Amino acid sequence: MPTLARDTCTLHYELVGSPGPRVLLIQGVGVAGQAWSPQVRALADSHQLLTFDNRGLGRSTPAPPGPLTLEQMADDASALLDAVGWDTCHVVGHSMGGVIAQRLALSSPRRVLSLVLICTVARGRDAVRFDLGTLWTGIRTSLGPRRGRRHAFLRIVYPERFLESADRDALAAEVGALFGHDLAVQPPIAMKQAMALRKHDTSAELSGL
């Protein structure tokens, strides 16, 4: 199991694939790197792919003390590129991972050959809103029987029309396996990640490019 020692944690990563374009994949709040498994399977025959668990999540342990910052997590990504010997690569980021990818590209522009941003934002507060709807969602995914918490979490990920005809238990098991944790139990680091995301804003820097 490849790991990289950092300041207050150890990062777990996976490097797979065939000789070809190099791609770094960065995941979002509360989601382990293994969530990229479908993309890795599709691309591994023609690309080199680097995935990892953000600090304090999944197999990257322990959860670091104190608050997190997006700069820390972007530095982690850069350190992983150093560890595997990649001077340049394509970067793909999902959700919070997209904001980490933006920060990596802004701090090391010559290192990033291309940038793919999926379901993400420039202003973190646009993604992390503290309103009554968010509070109610948090309550439903945190309290009550585990089965109900899993089903409530699915409503964050999928539209209600889809869930009406879905086997929610089977779907929760499938998504949980991808995310790297039971959907009924959110990783403690997820709240720190969400707070770090809310405080981060790359919009001014991006508009100046």
Side-chain angles (χ1 to χ4, degrees):
M1 182 176 71
T3 59
L4 174 65
R6 294 287 286 152
D7 47 0
T8 58
C9 66
T10 299
L11 298 175
H12 169 269
Y13 67 93
E14 298 285 349
L15 180 62
V16 301
S18 305
R22 297 168 171 176
V23 184
L24 169 67
L25 300 132
I26 311 174
Q27 266 299 348
V29 171
V31 184
Q34 68 193 54
W36 292 112
S37 296
Q39 290 79 19
V40 169
R41 287 194 297 270
L43 296 172
D45 288 341
S46 56
H47 294 72
Q48 296 180 66
L49 302 152
L50 176 59
T51 63
F52 68 101
D53 297 342
N54 281 304
R55 55 172 54 210
L57 182 69
R59 290 167 285 182
S60 290
T61 55
L68 289 176
T69 68
L70 268 292
E71 287 82 4
Q72 280 179 315
M73 290 184 271
D75 286 345
D76 289 340
S78 183
L80 285 167
L81 295 180
D82 291 338
V84 299
W86 288 8
D87 294 327
T88 60
C89 67
H90 304 278
V91 179
V92 181
H94 167 247
S95 189
M96 180 188 72
V99 184
I100 296 171
Q102 292 170 46
R103 174 51 53 201
L104 176 63
L106 287 166
S107 61
S108 303
R110 295 183 180 180
R111 193 159 214 183
V112 178
L113 297 175
S114 68
L115 193 60
V116 178
L117 305 175
I118 305 169
C119 300
T120 193
V121 295
R123 288 181 294 269
R125 66 178 181 272
D126 291 341
V128 184
R129 298 180 182 275
F130 295 119
D131 53 26
L132 288 177
T134 303
L135 177 61
W136 177 237
T137 298
I139 291 171
R140 296 187 63 207
T141 58
S142 313
L143 300 176
R146 288 194 173 212
R147 184 168 183 258
R149 282 182 269 158
R150 294 185 190 109
H151 290 189
F153 190 91
L154 289 175
R155 296 180 70 177
I156 301 174
V157 183
Y158 295 99
E160 189 63 34
R161 180 175 295 180
F162 171 79
L163 292 175
E164 287 174 356
S165 59
D167 181 338
R168 299 192 187 197
D169 292 329
L171 189 60
E174 179 183 349
V175 175
L178 273 179
F179 279 25
H181 62 85
D182 184 344
L183 298 186
V185 183
Q186 299 309 306
I189 198 68
M191 180 55 71
K192 285 188 176 183
Q193 290 180 332
M195 292 302 297
L197 175 58
R198 180 174 172 78
K199 294 176 182 178
H200 200 75
D201 186 346
T202 56
S203 57
E205 293 168 275
L206 293 172
S207 65
L209 295 178

